[in-house]
Coordinates of all heavy atoms in Angstrom, one line a residue:
N1 N 17.2 2.2 18.5 CA 16.5 1.0 18.0 C 17.4 -0.1 17.8 O 18.5 0.0 17.0 CB 15.8 1.4 16.6 CG 14.9 0.2 16.1 OD1 14.9 -0.8 16.7 ND2 14.2 0.5 15.1
S2 N 17.2 -1.2 18.4 CA 18.1 -2.4 18.3 C 18.0 -3.1 17.0 O 18.7 -4.1 16.7 CB 17.9 -3.3 19.5 OG 16.6 -3.9 19.5
F3 N 17.0 -2.9 16.2 CA 16.7 -3.5 15.0 C 17.4 -2.7 13.9 O 17.0 -1.5 13.6 CB 15.2 -3.6 14.6 CG 14.5 -4.5 15.6 CD1 13.9 -3.9 16.7 CD2 14.4 -5.8 15.4 CE1 13.2 -4.6 17.6 CE2 13.6 -6.6 16.3 CZ 13.1 -6.0 17.4
P4 N 18.5 -3.2 13.2 CA 19.1 -2.4 12.2 C 18.2 -2.2 11.1 O 17.3 -2.9 10.8 CB 20.2 -3.3 11.8 CG 20.5 -4.3 12.9 CD 19.1 -4.5 13.5
V5 N 18.4 -1.0 10.4 CA 17.6 -0.6 9.3 C 17.9 -1.5 8.1 O 19.0 -1.8 7.8 CB 17.8 0.8 8.9 CG1 17.1 1.2 7.7 CG2 17.3 1.7 10.1
M6 N 16.8 -2.0 7.4 CA 17.1 -2.8 6.2 C 17.8 -2.0 5.1 O 17.5 -0.9 4.9 CB 15.7 -3.3 5.7 CG 15.0 -4.2 6.6 SD 13.5 -4.8 5.9 CE 14.2 -5.8 4.5
P7 N 18.8 -2.6 4.6 CA 19.5 -2.0 3.4 C 18.5 -1.9 2.3 O 17.8 -2.8 2.0 CB 20.7 -2.8 3.1 CG 20.2 -4.2 3.6 CD 19.4 -3.9 4.9
P8 N 18.5 -0.8 1.5 CA 17.7 -0.7 0.3 C 18.0 -1.8 -0.7 O 19.0 -1.9 -1.1 CB 18.0 0.7 -0.2 CG 18.6 1.4 0.9 CD 19.3 0.5 1.7
Q9 N 16.9 -2.6 -1.0 CA 17.1 -3.7 -2.0 C 16.3 -3.4 -3.3 O 16.3 -4.3 -4.1 CB 16.5 -5.0 -1.3 CG 17.3 -5.4 -0.1 CD 16.8 -6.6 0.7 OE1 15.8 -7.2 0.2 NE2 17.4 -7.0 1.7
M10 N 15.6 -2.3 -3.4 CA 15.0 -1.9 -4.6 C 15.1 -0.5 -4.7 O 15.0 0.3 -3.8 CB 13.6 -2.5 -4.7 CG 12.6 -1.8 -3.8 SD 10.9 -2.4 -4.1 CE 10.0 -1.4 -2.8
S11 N 15.2 0.0 -5.9 CA 15.3 1.4 -6.1 C 14.2 1.9 -7.1 O 13.7 1.2 -7.9 CB 16.7 1.8 -6.7 OG 16.9 1.2 -8.0
V12 N 13.8 3.1 -7.0 CA 12.8 3.8 -7.8 C 13.6 4.7 -8.8 O 13.9 5.8 -8.3 CB 11.7 4.5 -7.1 CG1 10.6 5.0 -8.1 CG2 11.1 3.5 -6.1
D13 N 13.8 4.3 -10.0 CA 14.5 5.2 -10.9 C 13.7 6.4 -11.3 O 12.5 6.4 -11.2 CB 14.9 4.4 -12.1 CG 15.8 3.2 -11.8 OD1 16.5 3.3 -10.9 OD2 15.7 2.2 -12.5
A14 N 14.4 7.4 -11.6 CA 13.7 8.7 -12.0 C 12.7 8.5 -13.1 O 11.6 9.1 -13.0 CB 14.8 9.7 -12.4
P15 N 13.0 7.8 -14.2 CA 11.9 7.6 -15.1 C 10.6 6.9 -14.7 O 9.6 7.0 -15.5 CB 12.6 6.8 -16.3 CG 14.0 7.0 -16.0 CD 14.1 7.1 -14.6
F16 N 10.6 6.3 -13.6 CA 9.5 5.5 -13.2 C 8.4 6.5 -12.7 O 8.6 7.4 -12.0 CB 9.8 4.6 -12.0 CG 8.7 3.6 -11.7 CD1 8.6 2.4 -12.4 CD2 7.8 3.9 -10.7 CE1 7.7 1.5 -12.0 CE2 6.9 3.1 -10.4 CZ 6.8 1.8 -11.1
D17 N 7.2 6.2 -13.2 CA 6.0 7.1 -13.0 C 5.5 6.8 -11.6 O 4.8 5.8 -11.4 CB 4.9 6.9 -14.0 CG 3.8 7.9 -13.8 OD1 3.9 8.8 -12.9 OD2 2.8 7.8 -14.6
K18 N 5.8 7.6 -10.6 CA 5.4 7.4 -9.2 C 3.9 7.6 -9.0 O 3.4 7.3 -7.9 CB 6.2 8.3 -8.2 CG 7.7 8.0 -8.3 CD 8.5 8.9 -7.2 CE 9.9 8.6 -7.3 NZ 10.7 9.4 -6.3
S19 N 3.2 8.2 -10.0 CA 1.8 8.4 -9.8 C 1.1 7.0 -9.8 O 0.0 6.8 -9.3 CB 1.3 9.2 -11.0 OG 1.5 8.4 -12.2
V20 N 1.8 5.9 -10.3 CA 1.2 4.5 -10.2 C 1.1 4.2 -8.7 O 0.1 3.5 -8.3 CB 2.1 3.6 -11.0 CG1 1.6 2.1 -10.8 CG2 2.2 3.9 -12.4
F21 N 2.0 4.6 -7.9 CA 1.9 4.3 -6.5 C 0.6 5.0 -5.9 O 0.0 4.4 -5.1 CB 3.2 4.7 -5.7 CG 4.4 4.0 -6.0 CD1 5.5 4.6 -6.4 CD2 4.4 2.6 -6.0 CE1 6.7 3.9 -6.7 CE2 5.5 1.9 -6.3 CZ 6.7 2.6 -6.6
L22 N 0.4 6.2 -6.3 CA -0.8 6.9 -5.8 C -2.1 6.2 -6.2 O -3.0 6.1 -5.4 CB -0.8 8.4 -6.3 CG -2.0 9.2 -5.9 CD1 -2.1 9.3 -4.4 CD2 -1.9 10.6 -6.5
E23 N -2.1 5.8 -7.4 CA -3.3 5.0 -7.9 C -3.5 3.8 -7.1 O -4.7 3.5 -6.6 CB -3.1 4.6 -9.4 CG -3.0 5.8 -10.3 CD -2.8 5.3 -11.8 OE1 -3.5 4.3 -12.2 OE2 -2.1 6.0 -12.6
L24 N -2.5 3.1 -6.9 CA -2.6 1.8 -6.1 C -2.9 2.1 -4.6 O -3.8 1.4 -4.0 CB -1.2 1.1 -6.1 CG -1.1 -0.3 -5.3 CD1 -2.1 -1.2 -6.0 CD2 0.3 -0.8 -5.4
A25 N -2.4 3.2 -4.1 CA -2.8 3.5 -2.7 C -4.2 4.0 -2.6 O -4.9 3.7 -1.5 CB -1.8 4.7 -2.2
L26 N -4.7 4.7 -3.5 CA -6.1 5.2 -3.4 C -7.1 4.0 -3.5 O -8.1 3.9 -2.8 CB -6.4 6.2 -4.6 CG -5.7 7.5 -4.4 CD1 -6.0 8.4 -5.7 CD2 -6.3 8.3 -3.3
A27 N -6.7 3.0 -4.4 CA -7.6 1.9 -4.6 C -7.5 1.0 -3.2 O -8.6 0.6 -2.8 CB -7.1 1.0 -5.7
A28 N -6.3 0.9 -2.7 CA -6.2 0.1 -1.4 C -6.9 0.8 -0.3 O -7.6 0.1 0.5 CB -4.7 -0.1 -1.1
T29 N -6.9 2.1 -0.2 CA -7.7 2.8 0.8 C -9.1 2.6 0.7 O -9.8 2.4 1.7 CB -7.3 4.4 0.8 OG1 -5.9 4.5 0.9 CG2 -7.9 5.0 1.9
D30 N -9.6 2.7 -0.5 CA -11.1 2.4 -0.8 C -11.4 1.1 -0.3 O -12.5 0.9 0.4 CB -11.3 2.6 -2.3 CG -12.8 2.3 -2.6 OD1 -13.7 2.6 -1.8 OD2 -13.1 2.1 -3.8
E31 N -10.6 0.1 -0.6 CA -11.0 -1.3 -0.2 C -10.9 -1.5 1.3 O -11.7 -2.1 1.9 CB -10.0 -2.2 -0.9 CG -10.2 -3.7 -0.6 CD -9.4 -4.7 -1.5 OE1 -9.3 -4.4 -2.7 OE2 -8.9 -5.6 -0.9
L32 N -9.8 -0.9 1.9 CA -9.6 -1.1 3.3 C -10.8 -0.5 4.1 O -11.4 -1.1 5.1 CB -8.3 -0.4 3.8 CG -8.1 -0.4 5.3 CD1 -7.8 -1.8 5.8 CD2 -7.0 0.5 5.7
I33 N -11.3 0.7 3.7 CA -12.4 1.4 4.4 C -13.7 0.5 4.3 O -14.4 0.3 5.3 CB -12.6 2.8 3.9 CG1 -11.4 3.7 4.2 CG2 -13.9 3.4 4.4 CD1 -11.6 5.1 3.6
K34 N -13.9 -0.1 3.2 CA -15.1 -0.9 3.0 C -15.0 -2.1 3.8 O -15.9 -2.6 4.5 CB -15.3 -1.1 1.5 CG -16.7 -1.8 1.3 CD -17.1 -1.7 -0.2 CE -18.6 -2.2 -0.4 NZ -19.0 -2.1 -1.8
L35 N -13.8 -2.8 3.8 CA -13.5 -4.0 4.6 C -13.8 -3.7 6.1 O -14.2 -4.6 6.8 CB -12.2 -4.5 4.3 CG -11.9 -5.2 3.0 CD1 -10.4 -5.6 2.8 CD2 -12.8 -6.5 2.8
A36 N -13.4 -2.5 6.5 CA -13.5 -2.2 7.9 C -15.0 -1.9 8.3 O -15.3 -2.1 9.5 CB -12.7 -1.0 8.3
Q37 N -15.8 -1.5 7.4 CA -17.2 -1.1 7.7 C -18.2 -2.1 7.5 O -19.3 -2.1 8.1 CB -17.5 0.2 7.0 CG -16.6 1.4 7.5 CD -17.0 2.8 6.7 OE1 -17.7 2.7 5.8 NE2 -16.5 3.9 7.3
V38 N -18.1 -2.9 6.4 CA -19.0 -3.9 6.0 C -18.9 -5.2 6.8 O -17.8 -5.6 7.1 CB -18.9 -4.2 4.5 CG1 -19.9 -5.3 4.1 CG2 -19.1 -2.9 3.7
D39 N -20.0 -5.7 7.2 CA -20.0 -6.9 8.1 C -20.4 -8.1 7.2 O -19.9 -8.4 6.1 CB -21.0 -6.8 9.3 CG -20.4 -5.8 10.2 OD1 -19.2 -5.7 10.4 OD2 -21.2 -5.0 10.8
S40 N -21.5 -8.9 7.6 CA -21.9 -10.0 6.8 C -22.5 -9.5 5.5 O -23.1 -8.5 5.5 CB -22.9 -10.8 7.7 OG -23.5 -11.9 7.0
P41 N -22.3 -10.3 4.5 CA -21.7 -11.6 4.4 C -20.2 -11.5 4.0 O -19.5 -12.5 3.8 CB -22.4 -12.3 3.2 CG -22.7 -11.1 2.2 CD -22.9 -9.8 3.1
L42 N -19.6 -10.3 4.0 CA -18.2 -10.2 3.7 C -17.3 -10.8 4.8 O -16.3 -11.3 4.5 CB -17.8 -8.8 3.5 CG -16.6 -8.4 2.7 CD1 -16.6 -9.1 1.3 CD2 -16.4 -6.9 2.5
W43 N -17.7 -10.7 6.1 CA -17.0 -11.2 7.1 C -17.8 -12.2 7.9 O -19.1 -12.1 8.1 CB -16.6 -10.1 8.1 CG -15.6 -9.2 7.6 CD1 -15.8 -8.0 7.0 CD2 -14.2 -9.4 7.5 NE1 -14.6 -7.4 6.6 CE2 -13.6 -8.2 6.9 CE3 -13.3 -10.4 8.0 CZ2 -12.2 -8.1 6.7 CZ3 -11.9 -10.2 7.7 CH2 -11.4 -9.1 7.1

């Protein structure tokens, strides 16, 4: 790959509750699926 890998610019410390990422991902998946399937008047 001719594109160098980005150096890590943010870290996730051990005390950080990573379950927050799962909550955010589940909500985003729910929204994406609905955005992909619903037509007018949303699009």
Side-chain angles (χ1 to χ4, degrees):
N1 189 356
S2 63
F3 296 93
V5 174
M6 292 182 68
Q9 297 178 359
M10 70 174 178
S11 61
V12 182
D13 299 328
F16 190 86
D17 187 0
K18 295 183 181 180
S19 65
V20 175
F21 293 130
L22 178 60
E23 296 180 37
L24 182 61
L26 291 174
T29 305
D30 180 24
E31 182 172 317
L32 177 69
I33 292 175
K34 192 164 188 179
L35 287 174
Q37 294 182 347
V38 177
D39 295 322
S40 180
L42 199 56
W43 292 96

